[in-house]
Amino acid sequence: MKVKYISIVASCIACANAAVVTPPLDSEGMQALVTKEKLLSNLKDLESIAYDNGGNRAFGLPGFTASLNYVKSHLATSNKYKSWTQDFTTRFRQQAVSFTVAGKAYFVASINYSSNGPDTTFDVTAAVVKGPTGTAACSPDAYSSLDVKDKIVIVGRGDCPDGQSVVSRLRPAVSAGAAAIIIHMDTQEGSDVLRNSILQVSDPQTFRPTAFMDYKDGLSLLSLLEAGEPVPARFVQTFVEDVRTTQNLFAESIAGDPNNVIMLGAHLDSVQDGPGINDDGSGTSLLITMFHALQNYLPKNKIRLAWWGAEELGLVGSRYYTSNLSKAEANSILLYLNFDMVSRGYYGVFDGDGKTHGLAGPPGSDVIEKLFIDHLVAKGIPITAAVFTGGSDYASFMSTLKKPVGGMHSGTGVAQDPCYHRRCDNYSNANGTHLEVIAKAAAHVLSVLSNEGEKMIPKTLMEPSMDGRMRMDMVDSFPWTTVEGEQHLAVCGGHDDYYLEQ
Ligand SMILES: *[C@@H]1O[C@H](CO)[C@@H](O)[C@H](O)[C@H]1NC(C)=O
Ligand SMILES: *[C@@H]1O[C@H](CO)[C@@H](O)[C@H](O)[C@H]1NC(C)=O
Ligand SMILES: *[C@@H]1O[C@H](CO)[C@@H](O)[C@H](O)[C@H]1NC(C)=O
Ligand SMILES: *[C@@H]1O[C@H](CO)[C@@H](O)[C@H](O)[C@H]1NC(C)=O
Ligand SMILES: [Zn+2]
């Protein structure tokens, strides 16, 4: 009771003070408000959203809409910020497969172009049988003593003598009459790392629908087949392709200089293969937490937060946004900060001055980099220079608008995130301490830039000839797509989340 009484008094004092004067952003105050607990609580919510909606938060699917509504519910609490969505459309593609044996559903990953026709739904109910093992599965001879005709055959993964691990196991099984093929993975890695993939070649004559099954499930299925009795199974594979509408979501301070807008962004969509908690629930949560902290301050330069849609399909949302601004709108933006994958890995600060990777951002990017570095160095945090691969939404601001960009990114390599674009990118994949360090760095840098960014950063203005709307093809002029040895970085925001197999 006593505690309750005290808290009522305290909150009345706080609101009375707020009514008197709302101060400009203060780095220490902002940092104190972006806590690990708040950051993690949003991540937990995003995980639930994914699991309530088929395991992902991807473009064109219900988990994205639920994520959008979730962020909107946070934004609705403010009367100091206005918020809005921007619709755009893009092509949706989904390949899905399910496999049920004796009533038990197994997790399998689909392999596109393994089937015998475009846009098909393939649905077969048949017995599942054990195929040849090892490299024997690469040769039709191994099937001479096996009856796989019109059945679903399970074969082990592994390279064939010709170096092809999928196609060269598929062809012999199909020539022996198999209706569908399950490829049993040959490593101990679990089903959470299985991914949908695409064959490098399409060959309707010699292929049949094929899916990957993980090692452990494969062993349990094989032991079921040991008894020799035919085991009934159902294999369903679908490919959906159409055009869907999706959204970018924005929140903008009503206060602040409208001619020097500081923008921050994170993508709201995940890949289809997983809940997308590090990629990019982490950046999404960082922005939500920042939004709540900002309610206590009156920004000098206006602040605009963006949650992008369809990033995983090739930065579609941020490209749409940057290419659809009027000249006046484009001119009002001072700079852009990006947060994509910030809850585990290294403490990567974008190499704004290009001194590490030889690829600088537009003028002013060096200033942003230094703000992050000075803050992190003072806290004794080890820093990695993150290269501009073009693999996330900052690229839209760099190439179309030539705006200074910066931010943090903690890496997509296996060492940084073994669950990158996989089913295991859930809540337990995120490190709250790591995310908190980056969120506090972002809170610090945002405070400085909102207070005096216009004095530190040169303003990029659009060419006078660029009146009206910019054209989408200009967005494709991003010159920095691959950097040797860092190809995997470009996959985040690459053009799909399917993996090539041969
Ligand atoms: C899958 O293959 C079909 C043709 O069979 C094609 O139309 C579709 O675009 C492919 N989907 C993906 C995700 O590549
Ligand atoms: C820009 O967005 C507006 C609505 O916000 C829309 O009406 C218009 O078609 C878009 N134009 C381009 C070129 O994308
Ligand atoms: C998150 O992923 C891990 C690794 O795949 C898994 O063990 C765990 O059960 C998952 N969490 C939830 C809530 O499903
Ligand atoms: C999380 O990150 C912190 C800071 O880098 C590190 O000390 C800690 O060991 C990490 N926790 C886990 C479970 O990896
Ligand atoms: Zn991402």
Side-chain angles (χ1 to χ4, degrees):
M1 274 313 212
K2 203 172 172 193
V3 174
K4 201 168 189 184
Y5 172 72
I6 289 168
S7 80
I8 288 166
V9 171
S11 69
C12 279
I13 290 168
C15 70
N17 280 345
V20 173
V21 58
T22 309
L25 272 68
D26 159 63
S27 171
E28 293 302 324
M30 282 288 292
Q31 288 185 59
L33 289 167
V34 294
T35 62
K36 190 198 288 199
E37 290 66 33
K38 292 177 193 161
L39 291 160
L40 286 176
S41 131
N42 300 327
L43 290 187
K44 192 77 199 160
D45 292 343
L46 290 167
E47 182 193 61
S48 303
I49 287 171
Y51 286 144
D52 289 347
N53 289 280
N56 67 66
R57 304 184 299 103
F59 156 67
L61 293 171
F64 178 78
T65 308
S67 300
L68 186 77
N69 290 337
Y70 174 71
V71 181
K72 277 186 182 172
S73 72
H74 280 277
L75 304 186
T77 60
S78 170
N79 58 6
K80 294 181 175 162
Y81 277 64
K82 59 174 187 172
S83 60
W84 69 98
T85 54
Q86 178 184 41
D87 281 1
F88 59 96
T89 59
T90 192
R91 183 158 293 274
F92 173 84
R93 296 187 310 173
Q94 187 179 33
Q95 47 185 80
V97 63
S98 73
F99 186 54
T100 318
V101 181
K104 175 185 187 306
Y106 283 83
F107 183 81
V108 287
S110 72
I111 308 177
N112 202 11
Y113 294 119
S114 67
S115 61
N116 36 350
D119 264 345
T120 48
T121 294
F122 175 85
D123 187 344
V124 68
T125 298
V128 54
V129 295
K130 182 171 184 285
T133 50
T135 50
C138 309
S139 148
D141 303 344
Y143 285 90
S144 57
S145 57
L146 289 171
D147 177 15
V148 302
K149 182 133 179 46
D150 299 328
K151 299 196 169 85
I152 302 165
V153 61
I154 171 165
V155 300
R157 173 114 200 219
D159 279 352
C160 286
D162 63 4
Q164 301 196 316
S165 71
V166 176
V167 166
S168 298
R169 282 161 190 271
L170 219 160
R171 286 198 169 108
V174 173
S175 66
I181 296 108
I182 299 290
I183 295 186
H184 166 202
M185 302 304 272
D186 55 357
T187 67
Q188 297 280 354
E189 287 186 329
S191 64
D192 52 1
V193 299
L194 276 190
R195 300 195 258 201
N196 293 334
S197 60
I198 288 183
L199 289 179
Q200 287 181 21
V201 287
S202 162
D203 186 355
Q205 304 310 312
T206 58
F207 295 170
R208 287 294 174 273
T210 306
F212 287 129
M213 172 177 279
D214 95 61
Y215 179 78
K216 232 172 85 215
D217 282 346
L219 289 187
S220 104
L221 178 57
L222 286 172
S223 73
L224 197 69
L225 302 180
E226 289 305 333
E229 296 295 311
V231 180
R234 182 169 178 211
F235 184 116
V236 183
Q237 186 185 57
T238 51
F239 296 104
V240 177
E241 195 163 357
D242 53 29
V243 171
R244 298 193 180 183
T245 299
T246 189
Q247 289 82 26
N248 293 321
L249 172 62
F250 301 92
E252 180 182 289
S253 62
I254 291 163
D257 180 358
N259 295 314
N260 286 297
V261 179
I262 313 286
M263 280 197 73
L264 285 78
H267 69 86
L268 185 54
D269 62 316
S270 73
V271 291
Q272 292 177 1
D273 280 343
I277 296 305
N278 184 35
D279 185 12
D280 184 26
S282 60
T284 294
S285 172
L286 188 156
L287 259 62
I288 293 171
T289 310
M290 195 76 83
F291 174 80
H292 288 299
L294 285 168
Q295 304 308 311
N296 301 286
Y297 300 97
L298 196 65
K300 285 191 176 162
N301 288 324
K302 201 181 264 296
I303 296 171
R304 184 181 304 151
L305 309 176
W307 288 266
W308 306 115
E311 188 271 357
E312 295 290 4
L313 282 85
L315 324 179
V316 183
S318 58
R319 291 162 57 139
Y320 182 80
Y321 173 76
T322 52
S323 63
N324 189 34
L325 292 168
S326 69
K327 192 177 134 193
E329 288 165 332
N331 284 346
S332 72
I333 297 171
L334 184 61
L335 58 93
Y336 174 73
L337 305 177
N338 199 63
F339 300 92
D340 186 1
M341 302 184 74
V342 285
S343 65
R344 59 175 299 142
Y346 46 62
Y347 291 101
V349 173
F350 283 116
D351 185 25
D353 60 13
K355 283 197 179 130
T356 306
H357 296 289
L359 194 64
S365 307
D366 51 339
V367 178
I368 301 171
E369 179 188 9
K370 190 166 184 313
L371 286 174
F372 275 103
I373 289 179
D374 288 350
H375 167 89
L376 293 165
V377 165
K379 291 200 169 178
I381 307 286
I383 300 165
T384 299
V387 62
F388 290 121
T389 59
S392 190
D393 298 299
Y394 60 81
S396 308
F397 287 80
M398 278 170 104
S399 61
T400 317
L401 304 180
K402 309 283 186 291
K403 293 291 176 184
V405 295
M408 291 187 68
H409 168 67
S410 299
T412 56
V414 174
Q416 293 89 44
D417 184 357
C419 291
Y420 175 54
H421 284 185
R422 295 176 185 228
R423 209 152 68 110
C424 55
D425 185 13
N426 64 14
Y427 181 78
S428 53
N429 192 41
N431 180 324
T433 308
H434 190 98
L435 177 55
E436 185 181 40
V437 166
I438 292 183
K440 286 189 192 301
H444 167 74
V445 172
L446 176 59
S447 301
V448 174
L449 292 172
S450 174
N451 287 336
E452 48 186 345
E454 80 290 354
K455 298 187 199 116
M456 310 166 73
I457 306 271
K459 191 74 180 291
T460 318
L461 297 177
M462 297 298 109
E463 305 287 324
S465 62
M466 252 190 211
D467 222 344
R469 312 265 175 207
M470 274 159 279
R471 298 196 334 269
M472 197 67 177
D473 53 1
M474 293 175 48
V475 191
D476 290 318
S477 65
F478 189 78
W480 313 283
T481 42
T482 48
V483 171
E484 214 174 313
E486 294 274 359
Q487 295 93 329
H488 54 264
L489 271 174
V491 176
C492 181
H495 287 76
D496 53 56
D497 56 292
Y498 304 106
Y499 288 80
L500 281 175
E501 294 285 351
Q502 56 178 19

